[in-house]
Amino acid sequence: MSDYFRELLIRHKTEYDGRDRAAWRKPSPDAPPTAYYFGAYVENIGAAPVLREARALRRFMENCGIYVSPYELVAGQKSPTDREVAMFYYGGGTYIRDNVVWEYAARLDAAGEREAFLANVGRVKERKYMNPWDPDFDRLHPDFFTAEEWAGFRTGAAGSTCFGCHMVIDHESVLKGVSHRRREIAEQRALPSHAGDADQEFYDGMDEILTAFSTMISRNAEACLEAAGRAEGAARRNMLDLYGDLTRIATDPPETFRQALQLVWLAHVMADTDTFGRFDKYLYPFYARDAERGVLTREDALCLLQSLMIKIDEAGDIQNMTIGGVYPDGSPCCNELTGLVLEAVRTMRYKGPNLCFRIGKDMPEHMWEELLETLMTGQGLPALYSDEVMTGQLMASGIPPEDALDFCLAGCSQIMIPGKAQFCNDIGIMNAAKILELTLYNGADAAMSGAEAGLKTGDAAGFAAFDELMRAFKKQLTYFAELEARVNNKIVALLGRTEGFAFRSLYVRDCQANAKGVFGGGAVYNNVELECIGLTNAADSLAAVKKVVFEDRAADMAELRGALLANFEGYGLLRRRLLNAPKFGNDAEAVDGIRREITEHLYAELRRQKGVLGGNYVPGEVIFTVHDSAGKATGATPDGRLKGEVLADSAGASQGMDRSGPTALLNSVLKIPTDGLCTSVVCNMKFDRRLFGENREKIGALLSSFFGRGGQQIQVNVCDRLTLLAALERPEDYRGLVVRVGGYSAYFDTLSRRLQEEIIERREY
């Protein structure tokens, strides 16, 4: 095969890299608006959400535009070419494109048609999930939140991302083929326990979404056949080969590695998901069998994976992929395909996939060199995770060993049990820095909105000892942990009442057996992974108050509050004292101990909360880009940070405050309690490119030592400050520059100016 694979890959990459990334993914502005999904949704508006959504997606897949390039070795677009009035998005279900609505309405001939169409738009908006930030939310959901809940939500202290969560589908079941899943649905439907109307409607939805999936595969096959008629040479052969592969997997299980890879990609497209799960685990049997039979060379497989990297970059959003680790029986899972994935990622040099590598004690020695070589590209890939720590955390939280050993990552860095879990990842964000701010003003949002948002824990100006402040802060953390759970539970329940998430329900285990979708409690595991932001800022602030106010007596609490409300204008000397107080990330127990204490308290309070789907709340620190938006909602803080500035990234130090070197930073991070966690505590490090290249062996030893001492997670940026500064001023010259942000990598030029500056200000070792 490789006699034409390499030629086509070069042409595909040249074609893709020569176009603007955003323009490649978007439908043509000249394309007429369509209403396939919308029309079927309206026709089924009275049906259960899972059936309504499935029929809408089936109609869309039967009619949408399908595009294939004759040079691509893996076919299927994640972003549709159509400009649909309404569509499904995994982050929130059905959504309306208002700009397309008015354009579509203008094309209707009769006024009556336009009025009926716009009335139906209103009906859809009333049935679909609505974000609480939407201006129509109060009208459609009166009395949804109590006054206390709205106050916590709007200040951001107990906010929610209102996000439909990350999830990993059951790829092993996908690879058994469409017909196999069809038979399983029929078997479940026929059980006497599922004779009720609601159960039968659920299985109707499963049949519909499976038909939609099969239709999408078949239409891609047809598109390849049509493209073959216009192509010549290697491109024609490629399209005919893909036509045969796609025709088979539209109903039957894949036989070859290429067919399996293609089916996994199209399931990824259909699910509108962001996670491939344990990629090298479930695809390796196909690779090994083809290699043994002599029908696939290593070069063939590399070309196919490199082509997939183009498709992943084309998709645009975060696309997580986990490799390495162990099998559920504990045996090592690092194989030849693992190395090929690393090679494909570092040779293509894109921002994704958001590659996650499970570091195990029995990992082959040569794999460290592969990892360091890939990190040297500067893509921030892969992020590294400790098998021993992660599986220990999961088992301590009640996950059986065979499932704990099978964990993968989703989204940025959220832990998942592949094909079995609905962990409501990222459904909420708690801002500990904001909660400390409210504590300083006796529960009032004095620096921002002026609203009463928290508990009355006492006038901080009258606190005579540091312990009084710490007790008040812990009371606020306890209050907001319970409030956060109430807010998020209501949002999750609303999603379950309005949205179907049909394809995910099709391929998440126990949904079929329970006749319930993933937002109805159908999955095996139903926890809520909730991210905590600002813990580092809160710890730095408390340490600064303890030293400057209660030990050095350089100011009192009243003066400190005045300085904060003035955003330190006229308080330059006090701000310098606060900035020079101990900071997390320097292996200083004066602040690390406070960080550990408040983290333990908040984590314990969150673990006590129950999720609406039956599981527990499990905290973590995977911040994505929320340290920017949360920072905008937070006033000046006693760590010396100014009003509105970004907060610390995830579980690391505040920007530039880790002054004592990388070992000291990791020593501080090791003090963060991770026992019994079910999600990640993300730590970003930034190394100078030259230093990393000249000291790879030492850096490898540093990282290995961190994991050997119980470190959970680490991700590495390899870059240099001068390049980042140049990219800040001349973005057109650095379109392909990749940086690590929160729990993911991104093109530097796509980030907000604030995030670009935040990355530059991180300590560079």
Side-chain angles (χ1 to χ4, degrees):
M1 290 185 185
S2 53
D3 58 334
Y4 79 91
F5 272 25
R6 181 57 54 189
E7 173 192 343
L8 292 174
L9 178 69
I10 292 170
R11 295 191 68 173
H12 188 201
K13 181 170 172 56
T14 301
E15 178 186 64
Y16 176 68
D17 290 350
R19 296 182 61 179
D20 176 74
R21 290 189 301 270
W24 181 274
R25 293 191 297 273
K26 291 180 180 177
S28 168
D30 299 326
T34 58
Y36 307 126
Y37 183 98
F38 177 82
Y41 191 100
V42 171
E43 291 170 17
N44 294 277
I45 204 158
V50 68
L51 182 56
R52 180 172 64 219
E53 178 193 292
R55 285 177 173 164
L57 281 167
R58 177 177 176 177
R59 178 82 57 83
F60 177 76
M61 291 303 172
E62 289 170 343
N63 294 279
C64 68
I66 299 287
Y67 172 79
V68 296
S69 165
Y71 310 127
E72 61 189 11
L73 301 176
V74 178
Q77 273 192 305
K78 193 165 193 298
S79 299
T81 59
D82 297 73
R83 298 174 63 238
E84 270 281 300
V85 167
M87 201 53 209
F88 174 82
Y89 168 57
Y90 80 95
T94 296
Y95 67 99
I96 296 285
R97 294 187 175 111
D98 286 324
N99 60 324
V100 181
V101 163
W102 293 108
E103 187 178 343
Y104 188 88
R107 290 172 178 255
L108 297 174
D109 293 333
E113 289 180 353
R114 286 195 295 273
E115 290 172 2
F117 167 71
L118 293 173
N120 282 330
V121 170
R123 293 174 69 203
V124 171
K125 286 186 175 182
E126 290 180 3
R127 293 295 183 113
K128 74 179 188 65
Y129 169 68
M130 181 169 288
N131 188 315
W133 292 113
D134 192 292
D136 288 330
F137 187 87
D138 277 342
R139 177 178 62 82
L140 293 173
H141 302 284
D143 304 321
F144 187 81
F145 290 135
T146 66
E148 286 180 340
E149 290 163 357
W150 270 124
F153 179 77
R154 285 171 171 152
T155 61
S160 174
T161 59
C162 310
F163 175 72
C165 81
H166 308 293
M167 213 171 296
V168 183
I169 61 174
D170 186 356
H171 291 94
E172 280 88 351
S173 291
V174 170
L175 289 167
K176 291 177 181 177
V178 170
S179 296
H180 181 269
R181 182 51 106 196
R182 184 88 68 192
R183 289 191 296 272
E184 289 183 328
I185 293 169
E187 290 169 3
Q188 291 293 335
R189 181 196 288 275
L191 293 175
S193 58
H194 291 154
D197 291 345
D199 287 5
Q200 291 298 304
E201 197 169 28
F202 173 81
Y203 293 120
D204 285 344
M206 295 298 94
D207 268 329
E208 289 282 342
I209 198 66
L210 192 59
T211 299
F213 183 37
S214 180
T215 299
M216 183 260 276
I217 300 171
S218 295
R219 294 198 64 224
N220 272 278
E222 293 164 7
C224 288
L225 186 60
E226 291 174 8
R230 301 187 299 270
E232 297 178 352
R236 175 178 170 79
R237 177 183 173 186
N238 179 47
M239 288 292 98
L240 289 174
D241 285 346
L242 271 176
Y243 168 72
D245 288 342
L246 289 162
T247 300
R248 175 181 175 81
I249 62 175
T251 54
D252 297 326
E255 292 182 319
T256 67
F257 176 73
R258 189 181 190 186
Q259 290 172 1
L261 184 67
Q262 181 66 73
L263 184 57
V264 166
W265 170 246
L266 290 178
H268 192 73
V269 171
M270 186 71 197
D272 188 30
T273 189
D274 60 5
T275 306
F276 288 94
R278 299 195 63 190
F279 189 79
D280 56 344
K281 176 201 167 194
Y282 58 74
L283 281 177
Y284 180 68
F286 293 91
Y287 170 80
R289 187 166 62 239
D290 278 6
E292 184 179 349
R293 292 187 301 173
V295 299
L296 182 78
T297 67
R298 186 183 187 281
E299 178 70 7
D300 294 338
L302 180 60
C303 288
L304 289 169
L305 292 170
Q306 289 170 320
S307 181
L308 179 67
M309 299 307 145
I310 298 175
K311 302 300 293 184
I312 290 172
D313 194 70
E314 175 187 305
D317 297 328
I318 298 170
Q319 312 292 317
N320 199 297
M321 180 183 290
T322 301
I323 57 175
V326 297
Y327 289 102
D329 65 2
S331 60
C333 187
C334 286
N335 52 53
E336 190 172 358
L337 186 57
T338 311
L340 280 169
V341 172
L342 287 169
E343 185 174 351
V345 167
R346 68 174 174 262
T347 52
M348 298 305 278
R349 297 291 183 99
Y350 295 126
K351 70 174 181 62
N354 190 26
L355 195 62
C356 300
F357 196 100
R358 290 177 46 175
I359 302 288
K361 61 180 183 297
D362 295 325
M363 184 177 76
E365 189 63 33
H366 70 86
M367 198 55 71
W368 265 114
E369 185 55 37
E370 290 259 13
L371 292 172
L372 293 170
E373 185 178 352
T374 308
L375 287 170
M376 183 64 192
T377 64
Q379 298 163 271
L381 303 170
L384 307 178
Y385 299 81
S386 166
D387 254 11
E388 186 176 2
V389 173
M390 293 288 205
T391 55
Q393 289 175 192
L394 289 166
M395 285 187 280
S397 69
I399 304 293
E402 64 273 16
D403 285 345
L405 289 166
D406 201 31
F407 83 89
C408 67
L409 288 307
C412 289
S413 298
Q414 285 79 17
I415 301 177
M416 295 292 290
I417 310 301
K420 293 185 177 182
Q422 156 58 307
F423 280 171
C424 291
N425 312 77
D426 288 354
I427 197 67
I429 294 284
M430 281 196 74
N431 184 347
K434 184 70 183 181
I435 295 170
L436 177 60
E437 179 190 350
L438 296 173
T439 306
L440 292 171
Y441 304 112
N442 200 18
D445 190 16
M448 305 301 283
S449 69
E452 294 293 328
L455 286 178
K456 295 293 183 184
T457 48
D459 184 355
F463 289 164
F466 176 72
D467 287 348
E468 291 183 61
L469 175 60
M470 182 66 91
R471 282 195 298 270
F473 180 48
K474 287 182 177 179
K475 286 180 182 178
Q476 296 282 3
L477 288 175
T478 298
Y479 169 78
F480 279 110
E482 190 274 337
L483 188 70
E484 176 82 20
R486 289 193 346 236
V487 167
N488 291 330
N489 284 345
K490 289 184 176 183
I491 290 173
V492 171
L494 179 62
L495 267 168
R497 291 194 300 271
T498 57
E499 304 301 325
F501 290 86
F503 193 81
R504 293 182 174 203
S505 299
L506 180 68
Y507 282 115
V508 169
R509 293 189 197 178
D510 279 17
C511 286
Q512 304 304 310
N514 293 326
K516 293 179 180 179
V518 291
F519 274 96
V524 178
Y525 303 113
N526 292 281
N527 289 332
V528 182
E529 290 186 8
L530 187 140
E531 310 302 344
C532 304
I533 191 169
L535 279 163
T536 290
N537 298 92
D540 287 352
S541 294
L542 288 164
V545 172
K546 184 177 184 181
K547 176 164 179 53
V548 174
V549 175
F550 292 106
E551 293 177 359
D552 296 348
R553 304 291 179 181
D556 59 26
M557 289 297 293
E559 184 180 0
L560 173 67
R561 290 201 315 186
L564 297 176
L565 288 174
N567 200 27
F568 291 112
E569 290 187 19
Y571 294 87
L573 177 59
L574 176 57
R575 185 179 182 224
R576 283 195 295 276
R577 290 181 185 275
L578 295 168
L579 285 169
N580 288 326
K583 294 290 185 287
F584 179 78
N586 297 285
D587 197 14
E589 186 58 24
V591 62
D592 293 355
I594 292 173
R595 175 69 154 90
R596 180 173 55 246
E597 182 179 351
I598 63 175
T599 302
E600 284 178 340
H601 181 83
L602 179 56
Y603 282 9
E605 293 302 317
L606 284 170
R607 286 196 193 98
R608 275 196 270 272
Q609 311 306 319
K610 300 296 183 183
V612 71
L613 300 182
N616 296 318
Y617 274 74
V618 287
E621 299 181 49
V622 185
I623 299 308
F624 184 49
T625 62
V626 182
H627 55 312
D628 182 0
S629 58
K632 289 178 182 177
T634 306
T637 42
D639 55 353
R641 176 191 148 276
L642 296 175
K643 178 180 179 179
E645 285 189 345
V646 293
L647 299 174
D649 164 49
S650 299
S654 294
Q655 293 77 11
M657 292 299 172
D658 44 332
R659 302 165 177 142
S660 303
T663 302
L665 171 65
L666 295 180
N667 285 342
S668 289
V669 171
L670 283 167
K671 298 173 190 177
I672 296 176
T674 58
D675 295 343
L677 282 191
C678 279
T679 191
S680 300
V681 175
V682 166
C683 177
N684 272 304
M685 301 184 76
K686 188 169 75 170
F687 288 95
D688 173 77
R689 185 178 299 277
R690 182 182 59 81
L691 180 143
F692 192 94
E694 294 174 357
N695 297 273
R696 281 207 301 194
E697 186 174 335
K698 291 181 180 178
I699 292 171
L702 173 71
L703 300 178
S704 179
S705 172
F706 173 71
F707 289 119
R709 296 170 59 208
Q712 189 218 46
Q713 193 267 11
I714 199 80
Q715 46 199 42
V716 176
N717 250 325
V718 179
C719 53
D720 64 84
R721 183 180 178 86
L722 291 179
T723 297
L724 294 176
L725 288 170
L728 192 66
E729 301 306 320
R730 302 193 311 279
E732 67 279 1
D733 295 337
Y734 294 88
R735 294 294 183 200
L737 180 62
V738 179
V739 292
R740 195 76 182 174
V741 188
Y744 74 110
S745 292
Y747 292 111
F748 188 73
D749 66 299
T750 65
L751 300 174
S752 70
R753 179 85 179 197
R754 282 165 57 93
L755 283 177
Q756 290 175 330
E757 292 172 345
E758 184 267 324
I759 290 168
I760 291 171
E761 289 307 310
R762 294 177 188 173
R763 179 67 60 187
E764 182 173 291
Y765 299 118

